[in-house]
Amino acid sequence: MNVDLHCHSLFSDGRDTVEHLLAHALKQQLALLALTDHDTVEGVVPLQQLAESEAIRIIPGIEWSTRWKKYDIHILGLNIDPHHPAVHQMIKQQTQTRVIRAQLIAEKLKHCGIKEAYEKVMQQVEHGRIARPHFAHLIVQEGLAPDIKTAFARFLKKGQVAYVPTPWPSIDDVVAVTQAAGGDAVIAHPWKYGLTRTKLQELIVAFKCSGGVGLEVISGHLEDNIVNMLVHLSQRFDLWCSSGSDYHGEGLSRVQLGQQRALPEACQPIWQRWMEAA
Ligand code: AMP
Ligand code: MN
Ligand code: MN
Ligand code: MN
């Protein structure tokens, strides 16, 4: 089955409208599509409405920003009720955190020679949640980096001048909200945090103890050895496996919507949980 359980729209740091995403997904003949914008579900209901008479099932999703030890960890909430009050309460908190962080990032960028970065970035953010890629775009526009990746490497990444440690909620908190909203919590792109295997296991154990059930075994572009390691971890810790492109828009993503590699045979696809319940 063709699925994509991780992608972004204009409602966060993606470049596509939900109309565009749906058209793209239908062309790819995806059976399931989860929209997982950063800390918002704003695009979910419009996408569901657009897809009502189409041969595709929209899985309501979100990508929560969390803090675990000194790491910023992303947790996907999949198949959640997008109307649940606990979800909205957490989104409200995350939005405030994003605004405060953005003001602090802007303050740091002022010292680097970019005036009124907050105001300039807010002009870019039409519907979305303000995110670091918006600042990366501004840094490029202001001529301080040739491209987005370099803007992150020079300014926005952890340890760089405009990085701001953010008081994101704990994994425990977002897993609880996800569960309250009837959804499944999944560790997003587990290989992206630069964790050693031991540290990754520690993260997985903490996540499981919180009630998390899934691991994103396939996410964007991955080498065989990483996939093998993640499959092994999913088996060792009895986790359901997820698969997504983490698509942010053409030109922004190495892997296009629905074009991530197939989930290995040894995996238990997380969407089986939703088929049985349907
Ligand atoms: P935020 O949630 O505001 O911290 O922004 C995180 C987003 O920034 C991620 O979801 C990616 O889309 C993007 N991002 C993070 N690191 C990089 C990087 N090194 N190069 C390009 N984009 C990045
Ligand atoms: Mn992103
Ligand atoms: Mn992420
Ligand atoms: Mn993502």
Side-chain angles (χ1 to χ4, degrees), residues 16-62:
D16 291 9
T17 59
V18 286
E19 285 84 358
H20 200 110
L21 279 178
L22 179 63
H24 211 111
L26 292 172
K27 214 158 80 190
Q28 302 284 342
Q29 299 188 305
L30 296 186
L32 300 177
L33 174 68
L35 177 62
T36 54
D37 276 313
H38 297 288
D39 303 308
T40 178
V41 290
E42 247 184 292
V44 168
V45 171
L47 179 60
Q48 280 179 317
Q49 283 168 350
L50 283 168
E52 235 159 39
S53 56
E54 306 287 353
I56 187 169
R57 180 166 160 201
I58 303 300
I59 304 294
I62 191 161

Side-chain angles (χ1 to χ4, degrees), residues 52-99:
E52 235 159 39
S53 56
E54 306 287 353
I56 187 169
R57 180 166 160 201
I58 303 300
I59 304 294
I62 191 161
E63 183 172 11
W64 298 114
S65 307
T66 79
R67 185 91 176 167
W68 175 74
K69 299 188 181 256
K70 58 180 190 211
Y71 305 97
D72 293 325
I73 304 291
H74 288 175
I75 302 290
L76 298 170
L78 296 179
N79 204 31
I80 55 171
D81 168 7
H83 304 286
H84 197 282
V87 170
H88 285 275
Q89 184 54 39
M90 183 59 87
I91 287 175
K92 201 169 143 197
Q93 183 189 320
Q94 297 288 66
T95 306
Q96 284 167 353
T97 302
R98 283 187 174 275
V99 169

Side-chain angles (χ1 to χ4, degrees), residues 6 8 38 63 246 248:
H6 187 161
H8 297 269
H38 297 288
E63 183 172 11
D246 204 3
H248 280 72

